[in-house]
Amino acid sequence: QVQLVESGGGFVQAGGSLRLSCVASGRTYSNYDFAWFRQAPGNEREFVAGISWKGDSPDYAGAVKGRFAISRDIDKDTVYLQMNDLKPEDTAVYYCAGGWYLNSGYAGHYAFWGQGTQVTVSS
């Protein structure tokens, strides 16, 4: 079993930045692909960004492309999401997910999920 723990969320003004971290523990294997999803109240969980188990092939949702960057430190079993130029519409709970379908936008393809971290962006 793999446990994922996110951190780094918070409250920020529009135009600001945050960096989310996701640390994997338990029976970790280096060949998981990882992704960040987010879910705002009343909305479905949506794909934000993904990265391969090797730390390459990043992919982004159109709404965040050019503003967010996903990266992975394999030695630390940690995935990051650098979020710049944040907008009020980025407000959501952000979830880290791990699985074997690289950059899939379907939440059901991911076997492991963190508990989520709240990001709130004020206008």
Side-chain angles (χ1 to χ4, degrees):
Q1 188 72 9
V2 175
Q3 293 80 44
L4 303 177
V5 179
E6 304 98 332
S7 62
F11 184 93
V12 64
Q13 291 187 330
S17 299
L18 286 173
R19 188 176 82 155
L20 306 183
S21 298
C22 171
V23 179
S25 62
R27 296 185 63 186
T28 59
Y29 299 92
S30 62
N31 60 340
Y32 292 136
D33 298 320
F34 278 86
W36 287 95
F37 281 72
R38 67 185 181 186
Q39 187 168 19
N43 291 353
E44 293 186 354
R45 194 167 296 190
E46 64 176 0
F47 175 85
V48 175
I51 195 166
S52 80
W53 66 274
K54 294 183 292 183
D56 59 9
S57 303
D59 193 27
Y60 300 93
V64 307
K65 194 170 294 185
R67 299 188 297 122
F68 290 12
I70 188 171
S71 61
R72 180 170 182 177
D73 187 329
I74 295 175
D75 292 337
K76 295 183 179 180
D77 285 326
T78 301
V79 179
Y80 302 99
L81 185 67
Q82 178 66 43
M83 306 186 294
N84 299 325
D85 189 24
L86 283 160
K87 306 176 185 297
E89 51 265 40
D90 295 318
T91 295
V93 177
Y94 283 72
Y95 297 91
C96 177
W100 297 274
Y101 293 87
L102 176 60
N103 295 331
S104 171
Y106 175 51
H109 279 164
Y110 295 87
F112 308 108
W113 290 86
Q115 82 289 348
T117 185
Q118 176 71 46
V119 171
T120 303
V121 185
S122 67
S123 58

